[in-house]
């Protein structure tokens, strides 16, 4: 993620993992002003950033607000994409991206760790058109609804609520 000479940018409930913010860089986020009078100003809350705050390059005249809820833990994507060097690692011209699956596995540290925001802020649906849950949402683009709970049995008694037994 590169932020160049902008006013304040807020990043919430994202996963920033396996990226390069600039050439020959292992930083995940880069803030630069490029000598303009506008500083880059980024606020991060409830994000999973590979390497944490140490992997944010804060350029001259730039500002980072490292807020609450940020973590740095392998998001455990189902099957992340990767670059294929096509058998010629020295020739970058024939490299290509192999798509992957960025759904979170059931044990991902990014599940239920996003900021609980009203749906007017995050939307009623994730990018795959699954409903966002009530309560803490997942970090990243996909709500973890791909792994529904299995209910073995439930009992309903008059005047009582339903209490499911989960697998």
């Amino acid at each position: 993620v590169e932020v160049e000479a902008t006013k304040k940018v807020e990043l919430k409930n994202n996963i920033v993992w396996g990226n390069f913010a600039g050439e020959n860089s292992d930083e995940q986020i880069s803030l630069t002003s490029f000598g303009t009078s506008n500083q880059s100003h980024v606020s991060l809350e409830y994000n999973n950033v590979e390497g944490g705050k140490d992997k944010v390059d804060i350029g001259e005249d730039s500002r980072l607000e490292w807020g609450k809820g940020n973590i740095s833990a392998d998001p455990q994507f189902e099957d992340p994409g990767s670059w294929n060097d096509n058998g010629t690692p020295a020739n970058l011209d024939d490299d290509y991206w192999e798509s992957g699956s960025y759904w979170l596995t059931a044990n991902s540290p990014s599940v239920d760790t996003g900021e609980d925001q009203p749906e007017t802020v995050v939307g009623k649906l994730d990018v795959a058109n699954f409903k966002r849950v009530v309560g803490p949402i997942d970090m990243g683009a996909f709500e973890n609804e791909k792994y529904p709970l299995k209910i073995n049995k439930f009992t309903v008694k008059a005047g009582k609520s339903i209490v499911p037994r989960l697998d």
Side-chain angles (χ1 to χ4, degrees):
V1 176
E2 292 186 60
V3 180
E4 302 173 356
T6 64
K7 294 186 178 189
K8 186 174 182 178
V9 172
E10 293 182 353
L11 294 175
K12 289 186 179 184
N13 300 322
N14 294 285
I15 299 173
V16 184
W17 203 271
N19 299 294
F20 301 102
E23 291 183 34
N24 303 317
S25 170
D26 66 346
E27 277 97 13
Q28 296 297 303
I29 300 171
S30 177
L31 312 176
T32 57
S33 62
F34 287 111
T36 68
S37 60
N38 295 327
Q39 67 173 213
S40 291
H41 179 189
V42 173
S43 170
L44 296 167
E45 290 187 348
Y46 297 96
N47 296 286
N48 188 350
V49 179
E50 183 176 10
K53 190 175 181 180
D54 291 342
K55 293 299 177 183
V56 178
D57 178 27
I58 306 168
E60 186 178 331
D61 297 324
S62 296
R63 195 168 110 208
L64 171 68
E65 290 178 39
W66 189 262
K68 60 187 172 187
N70 293 313
I71 63 173
S72 177
D74 181 348
Q76 300 178 26
F77 294 124
E78 252 185 16
D79 182 25
S82 61
W83 282 103
N84 185 321
D85 66 13
N86 208 16
T88 58
N91 180 5
L92 301 180
D93 293 333
D94 65 351
D95 294 0
Y96 61 94
W97 181 256
E98 292 187 285
S99 296
S101 171
Y102 291 92
W103 288 96
L104 300 173
T105 61
N107 295 321
S108 169
S110 296
V111 171
D112 292 340
T113 54
E115 182 182 27
D116 186 15
Q117 297 180 347
E119 62 187 31
T120 55
V121 175
V122 296
K124 293 179 182 181
L125 305 174
D126 69 9
V127 297
N129 290 323
F130 283 95
K131 288 184 178 180
R132 291 282 183 184
V133 297
V134 176
I137 65 171
D138 298 342
M139 292 177 180
F142 300 105
E143 192 64 34
N144 196 30
E145 291 297 305
K146 188 172 180 186
Y147 300 100
L149 294 173
K150 293 181 183 176
I151 299 177
N152 273 349
K153 173 183 176 183
F154 65 90
T155 305
V156 179
K157 295 182 181 178
K160 302 287 181 179
S161 59
I162 297 173
V163 181
R165 195 175 91 209
L166 305 175
D167 281 346

